[in-house]
Amino acid sequence: MMLTKTTIAALLASLSFVTAVPQGATSTSTSTTSSSSSSSSSSARRSSRYAASSSVPSTRPGLSSVFHGAYSGSATVTGALKASSVGTGIVVGGVPPAETTYPSDGQLHDAQPAPYVPAGGVGTNTTPIYNVQSDFDYESLALALYQEWIELDLFQYGLKTFSDSDFQDAGLTAEDRTLIEFMAEQEIGHATLISNILGAEAPQQCNYNYPFTNVREFVDFCQKLTRFGESGVYGFLGHLNSREAATLLLQSISTEARQQLIFRQFDGLFPMPVWFEVGVPQSWAWTLLAPYISSCPANQTRLAWQNFPALWILNQPNPARYNASQGFNETLGAGTNTLNSTGISGSAACFNNTGQSGNCNPAITQNRSIPLSYPGRVVNLTWDQPGKLVGPNNSYVTSSSAGTPAYVAWVSQLNVTYSALNLSSNTSGSTVQPDVETFAGDPAVNGTLFIAITDSDIFLTPFNLSLINEHVVAGPALYQAG
Ligand SMILES: *[C@@H]1O[C@H](CO)[C@@H](O)[C@H](O)[C@H]1NC(C)=O
Ligand SMILES: *[C@@H]1O[C@H](CO)[C@@H](O)[C@H](O)[C@H]1NC(C)=O
Ligand SMILES: *[C@@H]1O[C@H](CO)[C@@H](O)[C@H](O)[C@H]1NC(C)=O
Ligand SMILES: *[C@@H]1O[C@H](CO)[C@@H](O)[C@H](O)[C@H]1NC(C)=O
Ligand SMILES: *[C@@H]1O[C@H](CO)[C@@H](O)[C@H](O)[C@H]1NC(C)=O
Ligand SMILES: *[C@@H]1O[C@H](CO)[C@@H](O)[C@H](O)[C@H]1NC(C)=O
Ligand SMILES: *[C@@H]1O[C@H](CO)[C@@H](O)[C@H](O)[C@H]1NC(C)=O
Ligand SMILES: *[C@@H]1O[C@H](CO)[C@@H](O)[C@H](O)[C@H]1NC(C)=O
Ligand SMILES: *[C@@H]1O[C@H](CO)[C@@H](O)[C@H](O)[C@H]1NC(C)=O
Ligand SMILES: *[C@@H]1O[C@H](CO)[C@@H](O)[C@H](O)[C@H]1NC(C)=O
Ligand SMILES: *[C@@H]1O[C@H](CO)[C@@H](O)[C@H](O)[C@H]1NC(C)=O
Ligand SMILES: *[C@@H]1O[C@H](CO)[C@@H](O)[C@H](O)[C@H]1NC(C)=O
């Protein structure tokens, strides 16, 4: 049966919860309160205008007032969510024989269930249920929801914080601001969708602490935050028990991928310098996201994922520089390693740069006259020891089960490549950017990618990358390769 829009809407509406006003929010102050009468009447207006079904699903509101800044209290709960029993490690089995017996010769091998329908596939003859079916599903979607909530706030916060002339000075017009505003609206939809799938205990919106101080840094932060938002979902999509949830989540994250590309354009970067978008484990996304969440409302649903120790890239290529390699300790902190543009001026800056060939103003596409990074580049790194408090209410604790730091894992496109780590202390060292291609003509290390310090160079591929977690000493950090 073809799945129509109405079927999806009906199924989602049936799953959706209506206790929509979160703690700390007042019931009247947002335009998106799902169960309020004002919102139902505005939905009704929309419906009649577009002659759509009378049951346009309403959206879930975020907090009525998000607080920005650091958290300085102590948490009532500490540590990741844990089940009553925790095993010692994942046991990896062999390849099930049935996975390798299909002849793959272009012929049909089984009777067709219907005209024009080849045999096989999964879930093509069942009634779809858009729910979660395991702790893995719940925790993965809950993580994605934390991400959608911060994006909703982040895009609005940037627009509120910087003036029209700040944006203008960074080369961004009123129409560009409208596009960012529309991205915030997309996040309302994504947060609602995931909340509806999760049910009444779905995580609420939180309060945030952002590192940027100007439009250029805001744009770079958005470019990097959407990179791990997108990659964090690709990492688990194929592993969800619920294929139905995976289908809808992919349709959301494809939108997020477009946001990432547009923020790269606003950042003056080449929009898509890779052939494949990378996926990373949930604990990598959570490690990168948690430091920007200052506190969450009481009774917030907690997450089971790991927070690894923070990783700084001391000579992170800085896209605000004419020669990106020249920046040293020029980021706004560990993890995302967002560019710091405050101290860059004159001919060292690439924005509005007319004296040398090429600038880095917002554009559909940009060639950098000097590449941001290159194979063979020495990369200097420092990292934290485990045991630090991070995340909402400082209520999570960084940890690592790895042994001695020995490698840097470069996770990009379809590849996990290791470079040797030259230690200069227990928590600092250097490595050399590897020279590896995904396919001939496609340098694997490009774009905004992930690096981590590991104790092993274990061979991994996109579908089993999360097995790297027990080997992670620190990181990930986002490396700005192109
Ligand atoms: C986090 O802080 C908020 C605001 O102070 C508070 O309402 C909430 O209960 C705290 N949560 C935890 C887990 O400590
Ligand atoms: C960049 O150039 C534009 C157009 O000349 C100007 O409006 C803008 O203020 C300049 N911005 C900076 C930061 O120099
Ligand atoms: C990354 O991609 C950009 C844009 O295609 C290209 O200019 C640059 O040389 C690439 N970097 C590497 C290391 O291949
Ligand atoms: C938190 O949950 C408990 C148990 O459900 C409830 O008694 C309490 O009132 C809740 N607190 C807040 C601030 O919502
Ligand atoms: C860019 O900066 C790096 C680091 O200082 C330097 O080695 C390189 O020669 C510079 N490139 C150009 C083209 O100036
Ligand atoms: C980097 O800069 C920060 C402050 O801007 C300073 O606290 C830190 O020590 C510096 N790190 C290095 C390795 O120079
Ligand atoms: C960013 O750079 C400025 C100027 O170099 C410096 O004062 C500031 O501390 C830096 N910010 C961070 C978060 O390191
Ligand atoms: C942009 O970079 C590509 C690939 O490096 C090169 O072939 C092309 O000539 C460059 N275009 C311009 C206008 O610089
Ligand atoms: C970066 O690493 C290289 C190679 O280990 C080392 O020679 C250099 O001193 C390091 N630079 C800094 C600033 O730590
Ligand atoms: C290792 O690092 C030291 C300084 O920390 C540097 O002198 C040495 O050249 C580095 N060795 C390699 C192979 O990069
Ligand atoms: C480095 O690690 C070793 C072994 O874990 C420990 O004995 C030593 O004290 C550490 N050094 C520093 C400076 O932390
Ligand atoms: C990179 O990924 C491609 C595609 O999976 C694979 O064929 C290739 O062997 C990988 N390269 C390395 C160096 O791991």
Side-chain angles (χ1 to χ4, degrees):
M1 179 187 86
M2 272 295 290
L3 202 56
T4 65
K5 248 184 176 160
T6 3
T7 336
I8 294 177
L11 280 159
L12 288 178
S14 72
L15 284 166
S16 105
F17 60 93
V18 284
T19 53
V21 182
Q23 278 95 47
T26 60
S27 57
T28 51
S29 52
T30 82
S31 57
T32 48
T33 306
S34 33
S35 55
S36 80
S37 55
S38 72
S39 130
S40 351
S41 64
S42 76
S43 311
R45 272 199 304 279
R46 275 198 303 275
S47 312
S48 61
R49 195 167 139 213
Y50 295 111
S53 115
S54 61
S55 61
V56 174
S58 51
T59 55
R60 185 189 187 195
L63 295 188
S64 60
S65 157
V66 174
F67 169 80
H68 297 101
Y71 175 77
S72 60
S74 55
T76 55
V77 188
T78 311
L81 192 63
K82 273 203 183 88
S84 53
S85 166
V86 179
T88 52
I90 302 278
V91 178
V92 177
V95 179
E99 290 198 4
T100 56
T101 52
Y102 184 73
S104 194
D105 58 2
Q107 303 304 311
L108 295 178
H109 295 275
D110 291 295
Q112 293 180 258
Y116 309 107
V117 181
V122 178
T124 56
N125 59 353
T126 53
T127 303
I129 301 292
Y130 296 92
N131 63 359
V132 283
Q133 294 169 10
S134 63
D135 291 347
F136 183 95
D137 286 9
Y138 193 101
E139 292 299 313
S140 300
L141 268 76
L143 169 65
L145 181 53
Y146 271 87
Q147 177 83 28
E148 308 294 4
W149 281 136
I150 197 176
E151 287 166 7
L152 167 57
D153 178 68
L154 171 65
F155 302 158
Q156 290 176 339
Y157 178 78
L159 291 172
K160 262 189 303 208
T161 302
F162 303 112
S163 68
D164 293 359
S165 71
D166 293 337
F167 276 97
Q168 206 72 46
D169 287 349
L172 296 169
T173 64
E175 282 159 302
D176 297 328
R177 295 199 306 277
T178 300
L179 180 53
I180 297 174
E181 181 57 46
F182 189 78
M183 292 184 197
E185 288 167 25
Q186 294 176 319
E187 298 309 330
I188 296 173
H190 299 169
T192 299
L193 175 80
I194 301 173
S195 296
N196 289 354
I197 294 172
L198 288 176
E201 307 301 326
Q204 307 166 64
Q205 195 176 33
C206 299
N207 302 301
Y208 305 104
N209 188 23
Y210 301 123
F212 48 80
T213 62
N214 57 45
V215 171
R216 177 106 217 167
E217 294 171 357
F218 163 66
V219 165
D220 192 61
F221 183 72
C222 290
Q223 180 260 121
K224 288 179 161 112
L225 186 122
T226 49
R227 155 49 69 230
F228 67 74
E230 181 190 348
S231 295
V233 169
Y234 295 148
F236 68 69
L237 267 183
H239 295 287
L240 290 173
N241 292 97
S242 169
R243 286 165 185 262
E244 293 92 325
T247 297
L248 298 190
L249 199 55
L250 177 60
Q251 290 174 286
S252 322
I253 223 61
S254 306
T255 302
E256 178 136 344
R258 293 165 189 218
Q259 296 174 349
Q260 205 269 340
L261 174 149
I262 289 164
F263 281 117
R264 285 183 61 90
Q265 293 174 319
F266 287 174
D267 213 0
L269 295 168
F270 194 79
M272 39 180 192
V274 289
W275 293 4
F276 303 93
E277 302 304 329
V278 62
V280 297
Q282 297 95 335
S283 292
W284 287 37
W286 182 228
T287 296
L288 290 165
L289 171 60
Y292 305 111
I293 308 177
S294 48
S295 68
C296 295
N299 286 1
Q300 173 76 340
T301 296
R302 297 179 64 77
L303 295 178
W305 307 113
Q306 187 169 5
N307 297 88
F308 295 108
L311 174 59
W312 285 258
I313 302 165
L314 290 178
N315 55 349
Q316 166 81 320
N318 187 333
R321 282 191 171 273
Y322 176 68
N323 182 349
S325 282
Q326 271 166 357
F328 185 78
N329 197 15
E330 210 169 59
T331 67
L332 298 175
T336 54
N337 286 272
T338 300
L339 71 82
N340 182 344
S341 69
T342 301
I344 308 167
S345 58
S347 62
C350 53
F351 189 79
N352 269 2
N353 194 324
T354 47
Q356 291 137 312
S357 58
N359 62 38
C360 60
N361 292 18
I364 292 171
T365 185
Q366 282 278 20
N367 271 11
R368 302 277 312 192
S369 23
I370 308 173
L372 286 171
S373 82
Y374 44 87
R377 182 173 190 261
V378 172
V379 180
N380 298 88
L381 303 162
T382 73
W383 55 94
D384 268 346
Q385 300 276 18
K388 290 218 162 153
L389 295 175
V390 288
N393 298 61
N394 290 323
S395 67
Y396 292 84
V397 189
T398 62
S399 67
S400 167
S401 59
T404 310
Y407 298 93
V408 176
W410 299 74
V411 179
S412 180
Q413 303 209 40
L414 306 176
N415 297 94
V416 186
T417 311
Y418 299 88
S419 58
L421 176 64
N422 179 6
L423 280 175
S424 48
S425 83
N426 282 9
T427 55
S428 66
S430 63
T431 194
V432 174
Q433 181 174 324
D435 188 2
V436 42
E437 289 174 298
T438 298
F439 290 117
D442 178 25
V445 176
N446 209 337
T448 309
L449 62 103
F450 298 79
I451 63 171
I453 309 289
T454 63
D455 65 359
S456 155
D457 59 353
I458 176 177
F459 176 75
L460 295 167
T461 55
F463 200 66
N464 67 358
L465 178 61
S466 56
L467 295 175
I468 202 171
N469 285 346
E470 63 186 283
H471 299 287
V472 172
V473 174
L478 291 182
Y479 184 74
Q480 193 61 67

